[in-house]
Amino acid sequence: MNVKELIEKAVMHEDKSQKFYLDALKHVTDPAAKVWLKELAAEEVKHKEMLLNFDTSKVMSFKPGETQDLHISEFLVDKDVSEIKDFQDVLIIAMKKEQKSYNFYVSMSQSTDSMEMRKMCRILAQEELKHKHKLEVAYDDMVFSEN
């Protein structure tokens, strides 16, 4: 697979993720859940734009920050978007979705010989991990505040 094909595949993945979050809006009534879903959809648009404007001269100098993975989502059962009943369900589904996106970019980074594309995939993987971390912190706060 060449760099162009890799970018096209990643753009389709970002489109799919954005559609997922927008579709999930139809299943929630909680205002906070709606805000989170809109923010997540907007982040996917940013990732798509980043891919479409891919510039190898800048990507190699970019240094993404470190993000701690709380691994909360690994202990939760994934749900379908049609199963959303409350904000907690939104968080669970979103955490699982971000983990899948992270895994997607890690896998893509391992499947290319291009250093520039590998770096771009690592940057995007880090972005997905940031989103997952944000969701896991919110989930942790919500669960422990209820107990």
Side-chain angles (χ1 to χ4, degrees), residues 45-54 120 123-124:
V45 171
K46 288 180 191 174
H47 289 167
K48 180 180 173 180
E49 289 171 0
M50 187 178 189
L51 286 161
L52 292 173
N53 298 316
F54 181 70
M120 178 66 134
I123 290 167
L124 289 165

Side-chain angles (χ1 to χ4, degrees), residues 29-125:
T29 56
D30 180 356
K34 286 185 178 286
V35 168
W36 277 78
L37 288 167
K38 287 176 185 175
E39 284 180 14
L40 291 165
E43 289 295 328
E44 303 305 342
V45 171
K46 288 180 191 174
H47 289 167
K48 180 180 173 180
E49 289 171 0
M50 187 178 189
L51 286 161
L52 292 173
N53 298 316
F54 181 70
D55 181 355
T56 59
S57 68
K58 294 180 182 175
V59 76
M60 291 308 287
S61 62
F62 185 80
K63 297 194 181 356
E66 289 295 316
T67 303
Q68 182 183 8
D69 189 348
L70 300 178
H71 300 284
I72 291 172
S73 64
E74 294 168 18
F75 300 100
L76 301 170
V77 176
D78 203 358
K79 297 178 178 230
D80 185 76
V81 69
S82 64
E83 297 176 278
I84 294 175
K85 294 182 185 79
D86 56 22
F87 187 46
Q88 186 172 351
D89 290 340
V90 168
L91 289 173
I92 291 170
I93 290 170
M95 284 186 286
K96 292 290 193 176
K97 186 83 175 146
E98 295 299 326
Q99 180 67 50
K100 289 173 188 169
S101 294
Y102 170 80
N103 293 343
F104 171 79
Y105 287 117
V106 168
S107 175
M108 281 182 52
S109 76
Q110 295 167 346
S111 69
T112 181
D113 293 330
S114 164
M115 288 303 294
E116 291 86 6
M117 199 61 202
R118 189 174 295 144
K119 177 80 179 226
M120 178 66 134
C121 288
R122 287 180 184 149
I123 290 167
L124 289 165

